Amino acid sequence: MAKTAIITGGSRGLGAAMAKKLGEMGFNVVLAYHSASSEKLTEEVAAEIEKFGVETLIVRADVSKFEDCEKLVKATIDRFGDRISVLVNNAGITNNCNWIDITPDQYERVIATNLMSFMHMTHLVLPYMISHSSKDDQCNIVNISSVGGLTGVINQADYCASKAGVIGMSRALALEYAGKGIRVNCIAPGMIMTDMLRGVNQDELNALAATIPEGYIGGVHDIADAMEYLLKANYVTGQVLSPNGGFVMQ
Ligand code: NAD
């Protein structure tokens, strides 16, 4: 029987690439999407995943809100049962604003979307994971941080704080559930070409790209491959894997 994986922000970008990889790996995939305008895109991602012979469920949820996360987990269990094996916390936003002009609404939204969503989702999913996880049947939580969580980025203070928070919380949870068949790891992507980067000032982006030692901006497959590695790497927990072309060296 196929195992179940939930991924937040599965409509496009890194989320869509990782969702397809989950399908390729044989998981039934629950795709959470945010806005009504993303529904069609998410359906297209789901159709591609089903070509791997697995099932999908798409659920509209604003994962910055606890009640929407509850709805997402309940819909998952109603459809696939409570043996949830993988949670990928991917949904994220950025403001790109200096710390004088930014408003509290803007930075609270970044923290709620990038960090609180991870807190809500792990709080809701862990009890189901712990009820069936074992050394031979591990469950995995993969959290999408950023190089912004490892170093400072100008005009991204709220984003960097949220992504550093994701790393701190992942390490703490990895320790809390080590030895219980649950591994918790982070991916901290460098610059990867998605809508998130297309929205950034292109002159700034080109200048940044020129500073990447490998010489180019990464692709979504680089992150999907990192996720696949973490899901298969039975002895790896509490780690941060950073596909970033040498941009940040830990
Ligand atoms: P993207 O903007 O293409 O995708 C973000 C996804 O999150 C979308 O599917 C969006 O609908 C979803 N989302 C946003 N707010 C949500 C909410 N409240 N509830 C549910 N879903 C919500 O960006 P991306 O580049 O694919 O980013 C994916 C993740 O990777 C983010 O966490 C981002 O911070 C991180 N990241 C991206 C890069 C990069 O260079 N692209 C680098 C480092 C980290």
Side-chain angles (χ1 to χ4, degrees):
M1 202 172 78
K3 297 176 179 179
T4 304
I6 303 176
I7 180 160
T8 67
S11 61
R12 61 174 198 242
L14 305 186
M18 287 188 286
K20 288 178 207 166
K21 181 64 81 176
L22 288 166
E24 192 183 331
M25 291 176 75
F27 290 97
N28 288 330
V29 185
V30 180
L31 297 140
Y33 70 98
H34 183 208
S35 56
S37 59
S38 300
E39 186 174 1
K40 195 165 179 310
L41 262 185
T42 317
E43 283 170 358
E44 286 167 13
V45 175
E48 285 191 51
I49 293 171
E50 286 173 10
K51 289 181 189 159
F52 295 110
V54 297
E55 294 176 42
T56 62
L57 171 69
I58 67 172
V59 182
R60 186 173 177 191
D62 176 349
V63 292
S64 68
K65 297 183 177 147
F66 185 73
E67 57 276 18
D68 277 29
C69 293
E70 283 184 305
K71 188 181 82 175
L72 170 59
V73 175
K74 184 178 181 312
T76 301
I77 290 166
D78 287 349
R79 172 68 183 272
F80 294 124
D82 62 6
R83 286 176 73 90
I84 300 167
S85 293
V86 171
L87 169 64
V88 181
N89 289 301
N90 163 72
I93 57 170
T94 181
N95 278 319
N96 199 32
C97 187
N98 68 72
W99 206 251
I100 292 174
D101 293 327
I102 197 165
T103 66
D105 275 355
Q106 284 177 301
Y107 58 71
E108 282 173 18
R109 183 95 195 115
V110 162
I111 298 296
T113 304
N114 298 4
L115 180 58
M116 297 301 289
S117 64
F118 163 33
M119 294 186 172
H120 299 329
M121 287 303 296
T122 45
H123 177 66
L124 288 162
V125 165
L126 269 168
Y128 297 105
M129 287 186 164
I130 202 94
S131 70
H132 73 93
S133 61
S134 70
K135 190 166 165 278
D136 300 322
D137 184 14
Q138 294 185 335
C139 292
N140 276 279
I141 300 174
V142 177
N143 302 306
I144 307 306
S145 176
S146 166
V147 286
L150 300 171
T151 186
V153 182
I154 201 163
N155 291 340
Q156 300 278 352
D158 51 352
Y159 184 79
C160 291
S162 71
K163 295 299 189 179
V166 165
I167 292 172
M169 197 172 153
S170 299
R171 287 176 173 151
L173 289 182
L175 205 50
E176 200 168 306
Y177 296 96
K180 299 183 174 85
I182 299 175
R183 294 187 294 110
V184 187
N185 289 291
C186 281
I187 300 173
M191 277 178 276
I192 309 292
M193 192 42 78
T194 66
D195 289 353
M196 184 170 272
L197 276 196
R198 285 182 197 104
V200 171
N201 177 300
Q202 292 303 297
D203 290 337
E204 280 177 26
L205 189 62
N206 290 337
L208 266 175
T211 67
I212 300 172
E214 286 290 347
Y216 63 95
I217 290 177
V220 293
H221 60 279
D222 292 310
I223 307 308
D225 290 347
M227 180 205 69
E228 181 179 22
Y229 165 73
L230 290 174
L231 295 185
K232 290 178 172 171
N234 286 354
Y235 200 46
V236 175
T237 195
Q239 303 303 314
V240 183
L241 182 56
S242 186
N244 65 42
F247 185 56
V248 174
M249 298 188 185
Q250 304 176 72

